[in-house]
Structures are given as C-alpha cells and as structure tokens.
Amino acid sequence: MKKMDYQNVKGTQDYLPEDEVIRRQVRRTLEDVFILYGCSPLETPILNYRELLASKYGGGSEILEEMYTLSDRGERELALRYDLTIPFAKAVAMNPKLKKPFKRYEIGKVFRDGPIKTGRLREFTQCDVDIAGVDSQIAEAELMMMALVAFEKLNLRVEIQYNNRKILAGILNVFEVPADQINKVILILDKLEKVGRDAVLKELLDNGLTTKTIKQVEQFLVEADLRYIAEYAEDNNQLKEGLHELNELQGYLAYLGVDAQCVFNPFLARGLEIYTGTIYEIFLADRSISSSIGSGGRYDQAIGGFIGSGENISTVGISFGLDVIFTAIKQLLNEMTPTSKVQYYIVPLGKKKEAMLIAKALRDKGFPVELEMSGKKVGKALEKANKEQIPYVIIVGEDEVKGNKMKIKDMVTGKEKTEAFSFS
C-alpha cells in the first residue's frame, strides 16, 4: 500500500503540547484581563454570508482579496471570517435590545489567504475586545490601558502607536486629494514604514495625483508633528475634529501615567477602510518582531450600516494576535530550561491500579499529576523527572502497598519522605 503524502495545508500549523501549553497560558492571561476590565464573552460563527463580509462596512478591497469563499449545497455564497470585528458588528445589529455600552471579548480562529510571515499564518487566532455605545475617547484610553496591563502580565514590553483617521483624511483634503481617492492614498501612506518615502511618493504619482499635491504630501512626511498639523485645522472641520479627539485621548493617557508607552505617529494609517477615528497598533519595544502584535481603532459606521439606520453607533475595538504573541514569548523562552506544570510523577512498579488511586487522590486535591503508563524503570523515570523539572516523584511498589504508605522523592533536594496512604 502506497504511503499517503500527508502535510499541513500551506499557512496552517499543528501546535504540539510544548507549544500549546504556552498558547493556552496566553489565552488564559488575556481572558483574565478582559474579565478584569468588565468584558462579557461572545462567540460568533466562523462561516458567514459572503455579502456580509464583503459589504462596504467590512475590511475593504485589500482584505477581500484574501477572503476564503465557498458555497453550500443550496448554492448560497459563503465565506470564512477574516476577523472578529464584522461578526461582532453583525451580532449587535441583530440584537438591538443589547444594553449599551456593550463590552465584549471573543477569542477565535480567523482565515486570510494572504502572505505568510513570522507570527502570521493563513489560519490564526485573534483575541478581541470591542465596546459599542461610547462616543468619548475614554473608550480608546480604556482599551489601550487594558493592552498595557495584558502585556505586562505576559512579560512583554510594548509600545502603542496611535493616530486618528480624521486627521489623515482632513489633511489630505486640504492637500486637494480627490474625495474618492482619500482612502486609497491612506492605504499607500500605510506602507511608509515598509517601503520608504520615495516608494510612497512614486505610487502617489502613479495614481494620478497632481505635482502640487504630491509636494504637499512630501512636506507632510518630512515635517509632520502636531504643531504642523494644527496650522491646517482652521481650514478643515474634519481635521479640527480629529485633533480635538486626539487631545482628549492624550489627556487620559497622561493622567493615567502611560503616555510614555503610547506614542503619537502621524503616519499610522491602518490599512482597513472601516476605521473612522482613533487607530492604534502595538509593537514589541525591542522590535524583535517587526510586525504589530495587536491593533484596533474606532469604527462608528458599521453597526448602523448593517441595521440600515444610517446613524453612527459609536464603536471601538482592539485585537491581539495570539500567534504572533506566542512567537514573541517562544523567542524569550528559547534559551531557558523548560519547566513542567506537573507537580507529581507517579511510577508504578507492578502496581498500576494502586498508582492510579494515588493519582486520583492528588488530582482531587488540585495537583497536576502525570502517571507513568509505559513501563519505565525507576532510573529512566527519574531521568525524565529531572529533564522536565517535575518536583516530586512517587514510586509505588509492593512494600508501599503492603505498608499503606507512599514514598515521595523531592527531585530538587534529593530527600525522601513517607506519608500514610490507604490502598484498601
């Protein structure tokens, strides 16, 4: 019989126990922080109607190119979700009686047929928090503060960069970029860090912008700071509104004492067209991974758009990439000796049932226990315990059972102690 040529689908990955232990710890840590900040759990379907995910309130043309599409037996056009944001907005739109503010978290798989890089596959896990029903920048400040707390608990030093889409759109309007090209130009500016200023200016020229506009954009890329931007605010209400929101947010961050970890970046654009106000991305402080490990922003038009009311429903969210966070933590752990979560390793010497009874008793008390089931001899079992840093080993043999006792070996000190245990 010919051996099957089996392998993972490109962009997917198996996580064996050593890695999955880390990933689950990250999930638990993030979930604990989400609950600490008053968030309620929500779960949305992976499978959605294509029309929903492709709507103008979705991720925009760049994301749609990466969307996995399919059809069911009824020839309905479906798609796998590419993020957790649009399914959340849909859920709120479908349930208008949800009490506002509605603050939810969701951890789940998403799918994008895009480029594969460090920490980003085609099937990956996002950990999201969104707040619907708060129009003040206090919502953004809350989520940014929550992110800093989460990464502190994960022992990762991060920097949050933030901007406001109204500032970008407003200044481009002042520079006479045509209204129907503003989103496209913002997407081009979003490539600045990756491709450099000259490549950005060339792409703007290729897209038909006038020489005057390109010169103004070039000056903006060189001189942009809040004072430079403010000079144009009197001529544009959108820019003025964006600066007002930025000042409000900075006031919260300074009062909370986290402004040193949160940096204004006038060129941060975030590629998705859904964003309407504040946007932010989270980076490792040491840049050991160049891509962001979290991101988000305000998207006030999505829920109202799905309802069909045309009104803006204030909504802001943040997303953490579990896979890229795992990659960052794994890099930190590479040079460290792995430590087992198991507290007791029980080795039966012909007394399997009795060993199981001890394991049950210890597990009932809440101790993680590994039961040796492959017949290892004592020497090999002790080698395993040392290698995996399991602190205690219990040998269960004839003498222990007859004496109704268990012998516990401390693998750190090498000392042994005997405790009574009834096998009857």
Side-chain angles (χ1 to χ4, degrees), residues 42 44-45 48-60 63-64 67 81-94 104 106 110 112 126 128 130 272-275 299 301-303 306:
L42 180 73
T44 58
N48 292 268
Y49 285 111
R50 184 185 181 282
E51 183 181 10
L52 172 79
L53 299 183
S55 75
K56 67 178 182 178
Y57 306 106
I63 286 292
L64 296 186
M67 185 167 64
R81 65 186 181 194
Y82 50 74
D83 68 10
L84 300 177
T85 302
I86 300 308
F88 163 73
K90 176 221 61 177
V92 176
M94 288 176 62
R104 84 83 168 87
E106 182 172 7
V110 298
R112 294 185 191 177
Q126 286 188 336
D128 283 21
D130 290 83
L272 304 183
E273 296 176 13
I274 188 175
Y275 293 113
Y299 55 105
Q301 297 174 355
I303 296 173
F306 290 144

Side-chain angles (χ1 to χ4, degrees), residues 63-90:
I63 286 292
L64 296 186
E65 292 175 3
E66 300 179 355
M67 185 167 64
Y68 283 100
T69 59
L70 64 156
S71 59
D72 63 10
R73 293 181 181 181
E75 298 184 356
R76 286 171 283 262
E77 293 186 347
L78 309 175
L80 303 182
R81 65 186 181 194
Y82 50 74
D83 68 10
L84 300 177
T85 302
I86 300 308
F88 163 73
K90 176 221 61 177

